[in-house]
PDB file of all heavy atoms in Angstrom:
ATOM      1  N   LYS A 748     -12.856  69.206   3.736  1.00 97.00           N
ATOM      2  CA  LYS A 748     -12.050  70.035   4.619  1.00 97.00           C
ATOM      3  C   LYS A 748     -13.092  70.688   5.676  1.00 97.00           C
ATOM      4  O   LYS A 748     -12.657  70.790   6.794  1.00 97.00           O
ATOM      5  CB  LYS A 748     -11.194  70.993   4.105  1.00 97.00           C
ATOM      6  CG  LYS A 748     -11.948  72.243   3.481  1.00 97.00           C
ATOM      7  CD  LYS A 748     -11.023  73.398   3.051  1.00 97.00           C
ATOM      8  CE  LYS A 748     -11.864  74.497   2.436  1.00 97.00           C
ATOM      9  NZ  LYS A 748     -12.778  75.202   3.339  1.00 97.00           N
ATOM     10  N   ASN A 749     -14.206  70.946   5.233  1.00 98.00           N
ATOM     11  CA  ASN A 749     -15.171  71.650   6.117  1.00 98.00           C
ATOM     12  C   ASN A 749     -15.880  70.660   7.022  1.00 98.00           C
ATOM     13  O   ASN A 749     -16.185  70.882   8.299  1.00 98.00           O
ATOM     14  CB  ASN A 749     -16.163  72.549   5.409  1.00 98.00           C
ATOM     15  CG  ASN A 749     -15.419  73.751   4.904  1.00 98.00           C
ATOM     16  OD1 ASN A 749     -14.311  74.039   5.322  1.00 98.00           O
ATOM     17  ND2 ASN A 749     -16.074  74.487   3.975  1.00 98.00           N
ATOM     18  N   VAL A 779     -21.370  74.412  -7.639  1.00 98.00           N
ATOM     19  CA  VAL A 779     -21.272  75.687  -8.227  1.00 98.00           C
ATOM     20  C   VAL A 779     -20.301  76.463  -7.285  1.00 98.00           C
ATOM     21  O   VAL A 779     -20.712  76.698  -6.227  1.00 98.00           O
ATOM     22  CB  VAL A 779     -22.560  76.441  -8.391  1.00 98.00           C
ATOM     23  CG1 VAL A 779     -22.453  77.819  -8.940  1.00 98.00           C
ATOM     24  CG2 VAL A 779     -23.557  75.509  -9.083  1.00 98.00           C
ATOM     25  N   ASP A 785     -13.769  72.531  -3.975  1.00 96.00           N
ATOM     26  CA  ASP A 785     -14.925  72.429  -2.886  1.00 96.00           C
ATOM     27  C   ASP A 785     -15.717  71.068  -3.081  1.00 96.00           C
ATOM     28  O   ASP A 785     -16.763  70.934  -2.380  1.00 96.00           O
ATOM     29  CB  ASP A 785     -15.842  73.604  -3.131  1.00 96.00           C
ATOM     30  CG  ASP A 785     -15.286  74.854  -2.525  1.00 96.00           C
ATOM     31  OD1 ASP A 785     -14.544  74.707  -1.512  1.00 96.00           O
ATOM     32  OD2 ASP A 785     -15.451  75.858  -3.040  1.00 96.00           O
ATOM     33  N   GLY A 800     -19.905  85.619  -5.443  1.00 98.00           N
ATOM     34  CA  GLY A 800     -21.022  86.546  -5.032  1.00 98.00           C
ATOM     35  C   GLY A 800     -22.089  86.910  -6.053  1.00 98.00           C
ATOM     36  O   GLY A 800     -22.952  87.697  -5.891  1.00 98.00           O
ATOM     37  N   ASP A 802     -24.182  84.188  -7.211  1.00 98.00           N
ATOM     38  CA  ASP A 802     -25.085  83.004  -7.301  1.00 98.00           C
ATOM     39  C   ASP A 802     -26.530  83.383  -7.498  1.00 98.00           C
ATOM     40  O   ASP A 802     -27.318  82.637  -8.021  1.00 98.00           O
ATOM     41  CB  ASP A 802     -24.862  82.121  -6.047  1.00 98.00           C
ATOM     42  CG  ASP A 802     -23.551  81.671  -6.026  1.00 98.00           C
ATOM     43  OD1 ASP A 802     -22.685  82.444  -5.512  1.00 98.00           O
ATOM     44  OD2 ASP A 802     -23.262  80.537  -6.432  1.00 98.00           O
ATOM     45  N   ALA A 882     -20.800  79.850   3.252  1.00 98.00           N
ATOM     46  CA  ALA A 882     -19.927  80.819   2.630  1.00 98.00           C
ATOM     47  C   ALA A 882     -20.711  81.856   1.811  1.00 98.00           C
ATOM     48  O   ALA A 882     -20.507  83.101   1.805  1.00 98.00           O
ATOM     49  CB  ALA A 882     -18.963  80.146   1.738  1.00 98.00           C
ATOM     50  N   ARG A 885     -22.132  84.607   3.713  1.00 98.00           N
ATOM     51  CA  ARG A 885     -21.204  85.381   4.525  1.00 98.00           C
ATOM     52  C   ARG A 885     -20.537  86.424   3.576  1.00 98.00           C
ATOM     53  O   ARG A 885     -19.293  86.547   3.418  1.00 98.00           O
ATOM     54  CB  ARG A 885     -20.131  84.445   5.120  1.00 98.00           C
ATOM     55  CG  ARG A 885     -19.353  85.115   6.281  1.00 98.00           C
ATOM     56  CD  ARG A 885     -18.309  84.144   6.884  1.00 98.00           C
ATOM     57  NE  ARG A 885     -18.806  82.914   7.369  1.00 98.00           N
ATOM     58  CZ  ARG A 885     -18.704  81.762   6.783  1.00 98.00           C
ATOM     59  NH1 ARG A 885     -17.848  81.698   5.784  1.00 98.00           N
ATOM     60  NH2 ARG A 885     -19.154  80.695   7.299  1.00 98.00           N
ATOM     61  N   ALA A 919     -21.029  71.910   5.132  1.00 97.00           N
ATOM     62  CA  ALA A 919     -20.255  73.077   5.596  1.00 97.00           C
ATOM     63  C   ALA A 919     -19.779  72.717   7.159  1.00 97.00           C
ATOM     64  O   ALA A 919     -18.655  73.224   7.572  1.00 97.00           O
ATOM     65  CB  ALA A 919     -21.126  74.324   5.744  1.00 97.00           C
ATOM     66  N   ASN A1185     -11.684  81.722   2.719  1.00 98.00           N
ATOM     67  CA  ASN A1185     -12.578  80.649   3.228  1.00 98.00           C
ATOM     68  C   ASN A1185     -11.891  79.947   4.460  1.00 98.00           C
ATOM     69  O   ASN A1185     -10.893  80.311   4.850  1.00 98.00           O
ATOM     70  CB  ASN A1185     -12.804  79.708   2.083  1.00 98.00           C
ATOM     71  CG  ASN A1185     -11.552  79.016   1.412  1.00 98.00           C
ATOM     72  OD1 ASN A1185     -10.450  79.418   1.792  1.00 98.00           O
ATOM     73  ND2 ASN A1185     -11.818  78.105   0.656  1.00 98.00           N
ATOM     74  N   PRO A1187      -9.957  77.333   6.584  1.00 98.00           N
ATOM     75  CA  PRO A1187      -8.633  76.686   6.311  1.00 98.00           C
ATOM     76  C   PRO A1187      -8.705  75.175   6.421  1.00 98.00           C
ATOM     77  O   PRO A1187      -9.491  74.531   7.256  1.00 98.00           O
ATOM     78  CB  PRO A1187      -7.673  77.067   7.514  1.00 98.00           C
ATOM     79  CG  PRO A1187      -8.582  77.514   8.546  1.00 98.00           C
ATOM     80  CD  PRO A1187      -9.914  77.901   7.947  1.00 98.00           C
ATOM     81  N   ARG A1190      -6.496  73.568   9.934  1.00 98.00           N
ATOM     82  CA  ARG A1190      -6.697  73.924  11.358  1.00 98.00           C
ATOM     83  C   ARG A1190      -8.281  74.277  11.435  1.00 98.00           C
ATOM     84  O   ARG A1190      -8.934  74.460  10.421  1.00 98.00           O
ATOM     85  CB  ARG A1190      -5.881  74.945  11.719  1.00 98.00           C
ATOM     86  CG  ARG A1190      -6.129  76.218  10.981  1.00 98.00           C
ATOM     87  CD  ARG A1190      -5.049  77.353  11.290  1.00 98.00           C
ATOM     88  NE  ARG A1190      -5.275  78.220  10.179  1.00 98.00           N
ATOM     89  CZ  ARG A1190      -4.514  78.430   9.159  1.00 98.00           C
ATOM     90  NH1 ARG A1190      -3.350  77.729   8.970  1.00 98.00           N
ATOM     91  NH2 ARG A1190      -4.798  79.207   8.105  1.00 98.00           N
ATOM     92  N   HIS A1192     -10.177  77.418  12.259  1.00 98.00           N
ATOM     93  CA  HIS A1192     -10.163  78.888  12.314  1.00 98.00           C
ATOM     94  C   HIS A1192      -8.624  79.075  12.698  1.00 98.00           C
ATOM     95  O   HIS A1192      -7.781  78.750  11.984  1.00 98.00           O
ATOM     96  CB  HIS A1192     -11.031  79.414  13.431  1.00 98.00           C
ATOM     97  CG  HIS A1192     -12.384  78.956  13.268  1.00 98.00           C
ATOM     98  ND1 HIS A1192     -13.213  78.591  14.376  1.00 98.00           N
ATOM     99  CD2 HIS A1192     -13.267  78.666  12.278  1.00 98.00           C
ATOM    100  CE1 HIS A1192     -14.477  78.185  13.906  1.00 98.00           C
ATOM    101  NE2 HIS A1192     -14.401  78.253  12.657  1.00 98.00           N
ATOM    102  N   GLN A1298     -16.235  86.635   3.631  1.00 98.00           N
ATOM    103  CA  GLN A1298     -15.919  85.744   2.569  1.00 98.00           C
ATOM    104  C   GLN A1298     -15.251  86.167   1.373  1.00 98.00           C
ATOM    105  O   GLN A1298     -14.294  85.677   0.904  1.00 98.00           O
ATOM    106  CB  GLN A1298     -17.128  84.721   2.394  1.00 98.00           C
ATOM    107  CG  GLN A1298     -16.772  83.652   1.304  1.00 98.00           C
ATOM    108  CD  GLN A1298     -16.182  82.371   1.940  1.00 98.00           C
ATOM    109  OE1 GLN A1298     -15.665  81.581   1.164  1.00 98.00           O
ATOM    110  NE2 GLN A1298     -16.166  82.232   3.273  1.00 98.00           N
TER     111      GLN A1298
HETATM  112  N1  MGD B 437     -11.017  72.418   8.432  1.00 81.07           N
HETATM  113  C1  MGD B 437     -11.989  73.316   8.812  1.00 81.07           C
HETATM  114  N2  MGD B 437     -13.215  73.078   8.702  1.00 81.07           N
HETATM  115  C2  MGD B 437     -14.170  74.006   8.976  1.00 81.07           C
HETATM  116  C3  MGD B 437     -13.788  75.268   9.745  1.00 81.07           C
HETATM  117  C4  MGD B 437     -12.407  75.504   9.759  1.00 81.07           C
HETATM  118  O1  MGD B 437     -11.885  76.561  10.278  1.00 81.07           O
HETATM  119  N3  MGD B 437     -11.564  74.590   9.315  1.00 81.07           N
HETATM  120  N4  MGD B 437     -14.765  76.061  10.180  1.00 81.07           N
HETATM  121  C5  MGD B 437     -16.029  75.513  10.434  1.00 81.07           C
HETATM  122  C6  MGD B 437     -17.109  76.706  10.628  1.00 81.07           C
HETATM  123  S1  MGD B 437     -17.127  77.445  11.992  1.00 81.07           S
HETATM  124  C7  MGD B 437     -18.009  76.953   9.594  1.00 81.07           C
HETATM  125  S2  MGD B 437     -19.168  78.033   9.849  1.00 81.07           S
HETATM  126  C8  MGD B 437     -18.090  76.180   8.328  1.00 81.07           C
HETATM  127  C9  MGD B 437     -18.129  77.179   7.162  1.00 81.07           C
HETATM  128  O2  MGD B 437     -18.620  76.718   6.034  1.00 81.07           O
HETATM  129  P1  MGD B 437     -18.522  77.535   4.683  1.00 81.07           P
HETATM  130  O3  MGD B 437     -18.692  78.926   5.046  1.00 81.07           O
HETATM  131  O4  MGD B 437     -19.314  77.023   3.697  1.00 81.07           O
HETATM  132  O5  MGD B 437     -16.920  77.256   4.376  1.00 81.07           O
HETATM  133  P2  MGD B 437     -15.824  78.081   3.454  1.00 81.07           P
HETATM  134  O6  MGD B 437     -14.686  77.142   3.421  1.00 81.07           O
HETATM  135  O7  MGD B 437     -15.631  79.336   4.028  1.00 81.07           O
HETATM  136  O8  MGD B 437     -16.547  78.208   2.010  1.00 81.07           O
HETATM  137  C10 MGD B 437     -16.978  77.033   1.290  1.00 81.07           C
HETATM  138  C11 MGD B 437     -16.677  77.418  -0.192  1.00 81.07           C
HETATM  139  O9  MGD B 437     -17.640  78.258  -0.669  1.00 81.07           O
HETATM  140  C12 MGD B 437     -17.032  78.772  -1.919  1.00 81.07           C
HETATM  141  N5  MGD B 437     -17.585  80.111  -2.097  1.00 81.07           N
HETATM  142  C13 MGD B 437     -17.209  81.242  -1.585  1.00 81.07           C
HETATM  143  N6  MGD B 437     -17.857  82.276  -2.087  1.00 81.07           N
HETATM  144  C14 MGD B 437     -18.653  81.779  -2.968  1.00 81.07           C
HETATM  145  C15 MGD B 437     -19.790  82.274  -3.793  1.00 81.07           C
HETATM  146  O10 MGD B 437     -20.049  83.550  -3.807  1.00 81.07           O
HETATM  147  N7  MGD B 437     -20.476  81.469  -4.535  1.00 81.07           N
HETATM  148  C16 MGD B 437     -20.210  80.112  -4.538  1.00 81.07           C
HETATM  149  N8  MGD B 437     -21.010  79.304  -5.366  1.00 81.07           N
HETATM  150  N9  MGD B 437     -19.304  79.618  -3.870  1.00 81.07           N
HETATM  151  C17 MGD B 437     -18.550  80.376  -3.011  1.00 81.07           C
HETATM  152  C18 MGD B 437     -15.631  78.857  -1.712  1.00 81.07           C
HETATM  153  O11 MGD B 437     -14.978  78.266  -2.841  1.00 81.07           O
HETATM  154  C19 MGD B 437     -15.319  78.055  -0.327  1.00 81.07           C
HETATM  155  O12 MGD B 437     -14.299  77.189  -0.399  1.00 81.07           O
HETATM  156  O13 MGD B 437     -16.873  75.389   8.188  1.00 81.07           O
HETATM  157  C20 MGD B 437     -16.586  74.630   9.288  1.00 81.07           C
HETATM  158  N10 MGD B 437     -15.510  73.682   8.945  1.00 81.07           N
END
Side-chain angles (χ1 to χ4, degrees):
K748 75 169 172 68
N749 287 352
V779 182
D785 285 330
D802 302 78
R885 201 179 302 111
N1185 60 350
R1190 59 190 168 255
H1192 313 139
Q1298 181 82 195

